[in-house]
Amino acid sequence: MTETDAPAVPAGRSGHSDGSAAVVVGGGLAGVTAALELAAAGLRVTLLEGRPRLGGLAFSFRRGELTVDNGQHVFLRCCTAYRWFLDRIDAGHLATVQDRLDVPVLDVGHRSGRPRLGRLRRAGLPVPLHLAASLATYPHLSFAERMSVGRAALALRGLDPADPALDDVDFATWLHRHGQSARTVEALWDLVGVATLNATADQASLGLAAKVFKTGLLSEPGAADIGWAGVPLGELHDTRARAALDKAGVRVALRTRVTGLTRADGGGWRVETETGPGTGERLEADAVVLAVPQREAHALLPDGALPDAGRLLEIGTAPILNLHVIYDRKVLRQPFFTALGSPVQWVFDRTHSSGLVARTASGQYLAVSQSAAQDDIDRPVAELRARYLPELERLLPAARGAGVRDFFVTRERTATFAPTPGVGRLRPGARTDAPGLFLAGAWTATGWPATMEGAVRSGLSAADAALSGLGRTYRSPVREAV
């Protein structure tokens, strides 16, 4: 049967609801979240994903006997929506969260020529005293610079991230106005900001930066404690997510591309799909959630769905590069560290989660995560190897003389939306002007930068809007962040 003569069928599985049907387009965290919540409210839900897996840009793949994450993803204790998501898919026990924030910071640009270790960690005191002792002894800043950080943090605490005026200012300009030296920006503000915003301070909206620092460092003592998956991301965002969707009664159609979205006769929506050359399905739904990247959403939006749909194309993207190094011996004793005075940003031990420890009694797998990687994203592998392996030897003396069993690269050229000044006015909310059509994705107006937390929150917002449009009440399962 061809796509054009396929009969229209209601979305979702039969016998699951009171008759209302929903289609969710996109199987990343936003789409999975929306589908789970719509199904929990009693709708018949179909989730459509063009890839052969769920998880969006947080996924795993096989390389020989190893399971490799496409990139290192972390979350913070304040990421209440993503932590709810893990519990919802029965995966909370597969992630680790620090008891207390503790970030080793190695500076190889120190005068001695040897790596100098500093730590950013919290005490069990109320905000802002929880970071005072760490800041007072942070060796990578002078005494005057450390004092200036405290004053800037107090000023930052007084900002409202939702204030539209903050969206037009870049974070670096604000920091310099508040006495932050270039060294302070490099050794503290960008150390955190590049990893969370995927942009340096001069390329980041003050509103989004304020959201990150106020929520993570200035809201609750434990808000910035770092969490990460103890298993491959595919186990969480694909395997566990698919099991949760199946249990909820959601029909999941992989390798299915949406080719058209039109109003159905008598209301609702008709969704045209393609599963192969000349084959497809036509679905009818009372509500449709587009949980795809902004350019894909723009291509599917019908005329009049947004007042200025072209603004979606003005939301830029930013790349993330990950370098994967398999050593023949253990070279790092910490689960992760970050670096100064080096092109290396963050380094994580992925030995156990990749399965390497089960394959050999020796060796270590390190993942080097490079955010805002515009300068490196297109470099050949050989050039990246020549650039970064010596840097790892500078940072980790144990790596000097160690054998490199494998070195490979994963690139996400459009990993996140670019958090540039002015992006806030381009990000749409969940509702469109077309009844029954909603948007989700970390790029929508969540108030958060492009994080797993923002993606899940966008799915919750889309489910809320869709259910409200159908006359249903909805209560979000997570609290609002500061």
Side-chain angles (χ1 to χ4, degrees), residues 326-331 351 356-357 360-365 405:
I326 314 295
Y327 287 103
D328 65 355
R329 68 189 73 171
K330 192 176 183 69
V331 300
T351 307
L356 177 65
V357 72
T360 176
S362 63
Q364 189 171 32
Y365 171 6
R405 292 176 177 164

Side-chain angles (χ1 to χ4, degrees), residues 16-18 35-43 467 472-474:
H16 183 66
S17 77
D18 62 1
L36 287 171
E37 290 297 274
L38 292 172
L43 274 65
L467 291 170
R472 313 284 187 90
T473 58
Y474 176 75

Side-chain angles (χ1 to χ4, degrees), residues 194 198 318-322 345 370-378:
V194 169
N198 200 20
I320 296 177
L321 175 73
N322 278 264
Q345 294 177 15
Q370 302 291 107
S371 299
Q374 286 86 348
D375 293 340
D376 278 348
I377 195 66
D378 292 318

Side-chain angles (χ1 to χ4, degrees), residues 245-302:
L245 289 163
D246 186 67
K247 186 176 180 180
V250 176
R251 175 195 171 203
V252 177
L254 302 176
R255 296 183 175 89
T256 301
R257 188 171 67 92
V258 174
T259 59
L261 180 64
T262 57
R263 295 293 293 179
D265 296 338
W269 291 93
R270 181 174 294 115
V271 183
E272 305 285 354
T273 72
E274 182 180 80
T275 55
T279 62
E281 184 180 19
R282 180 180 299 154
L283 300 173
E284 288 193 352
D286 302 287
V288 174
V289 176
L290 295 180
V292 293
Q294 57 267 34
R295 289 187 175 274
E296 293 180 42
H298 177 268
L300 291 172
L301 282 173

